[in-house]
Amino acid sequence: GEDVEQSLFLSVREGDSSVINCTYTDSSSTYLYWYKQEPGAGLQLLTYIFSNMDMKQDQRLTVLLNKKDKHLSLRIADTQTGDSAIYFCAETLSGGYNKLIFGAGTRLAVHP
Amino acid sequence: EPEVTQTPSHQVTQMGQEVILRCVPISNHLYFYWYRQILGQKVEFLVSFYNNEISEKSEIFDDQFSVERPDGSNFTLKIRSTKLEDSAMYFCASSDSDGDYNEQFFGPGTRLTVL
């Protein structure tokens, strides 16, 4: 079945790297996404990766995909207090009419 | 920058009442979605809508739910007779394509509380 799992909470010190992990169960994922939600705001697309790729880098963000283990991670380098938010992992499936299947979100807390 | 808007931001209603949640998608987008998130749980897909028709709906989207695009700008979700378990944050999203990759732009959500 379709399932996406994430750990619920991560606390890091400002300036350190953050790594948020996600696992999914469906082999027919086409794209995997990371969304960010700040308080009072909607979900904002941060980055995405095509399921045939292993890695994607976008400035401070690095996405790693291990398709064999169905594991996705988001690394944020030099984490800042402005990165404090909830991060959602999501996938779309082949033949899935583009509905997004989300995890429960990881709350990232950045402290000085 | 264009954005998806939703009203109201918070709706409180009595069990059994009808509610209509409103969304204004980005103006040139053609594909529309509703998702919901019960507190502490995952964001769940409810329904997708294109060309005045439902494209796909989840098991949650039963006969109590309906969607409509009443004019060229609004996209609404109606819950006919609300239940306690309908209490959740409801997110509207829109996109301009339905390819394998499509960026869905989300509104800030409407928090629905059913008493």
Side-chain angles (χ1 to χ4, degrees), chain B residues 1 7 10 13 19 22 27 29 31 36 38-39 42 44 51 55 58 67 69 72-74 79 84 87-88 98 101 111:
Chain B
E1 189 174 320
T7 53
H10 192 187
T13 190
V19 294
R22 291 185 164 78
S27 64
H29 285 186
Y31 301 86
R36 79 170 186 192
I38 295 171
L39 189 64
K42 297 179 181 182
E44 301 171 290
N51 200 25
S55 312
S58 71
V67 288
R69 190 149 161 83
S73 60
N74 288 282
I79 309 175
L84 295 176
S87 294
D98 69 341
Y101 167 73
R111 181 169 298 285

Side-chain angles (χ1 to χ4, degrees), chain B residues 4-75:
Chain B
V4 176
T5 59
Q6 290 184 243
T7 53
S9 55
H10 192 187
Q11 172 97 44
V12 181
T13 190
Q14 295 290 326
M15 192 168 57
Q17 294 296 303
E18 174 184 286
V19 294
I20 298 176
L21 309 184
R22 291 185 164 78
C23 169
V24 179
I26 293 173
S27 64
N28 64 334
H29 285 186
L30 300 175
Y31 301 86
F32 312 114
Y33 309 84
W34 283 101
Y35 294 83
R36 79 170 186 192
Q37 186 181 28
I38 295 171
L39 189 64
Q41 298 185 24
K42 297 179 181 182
V43 176
E44 301 171 290
F45 168 78
L46 292 178
V47 67
S48 58
F49 190 85
Y50 168 71
N51 200 25
N52 282 321
E53 285 185 345
I54 290 174
S55 312
E56 186 181 7
K57 59 183 181 179
S58 71
E59 290 174 357
I60 304 165
F61 195 89
D62 62 20
D63 291 344
Q64 293 300 309
F65 291 86
S66 61
V67 288
E68 194 179 25
R69 190 149 161 83
D71 52 43
S73 60
N74 288 282
F75 179 51

Side-chain angles (χ1 to χ4, degrees), chain B residues 81-99:
Chain B
S81 177
T82 48
K83 306 186 197 65
L84 295 176
E85 54 264 37
D86 293 327
S87 294
M89 182 73 92
Y90 288 80
F91 294 104
C92 171
S94 69
S95 69
D96 64 0
S97 73
D98 69 341

Side-chain angles (χ1 to χ4, degrees), chain A residues 42-87:
Chain A
L43 286 76
Q44 176 196 5
L45 180 65
L46 271 184
T47 187
Y48 66 94
I49 188 167
F50 181 49
S51 57
N52 280 350
M53 295 170 63
D54 299 323
M55 186 180 92
K56 181 178 180 181
Q57 185 140 9
D58 184 1
Q59 299 182 335
R60 291 191 298 124
L61 304 179
T62 303
V63 179
L64 294 178
L65 175 61
N66 181 328
K67 199 166 181 183
K68 174 174 165 288
D69 293 340
K70 299 189 180 70
H71 183 266
L72 180 76
S73 67
L74 173 70
R75 179 175 178 270
I76 306 173
D78 186 26
T79 314
Q80 302 298 307
T81 53
D83 295 322
S84 293
I86 301 175
Y87 291 81

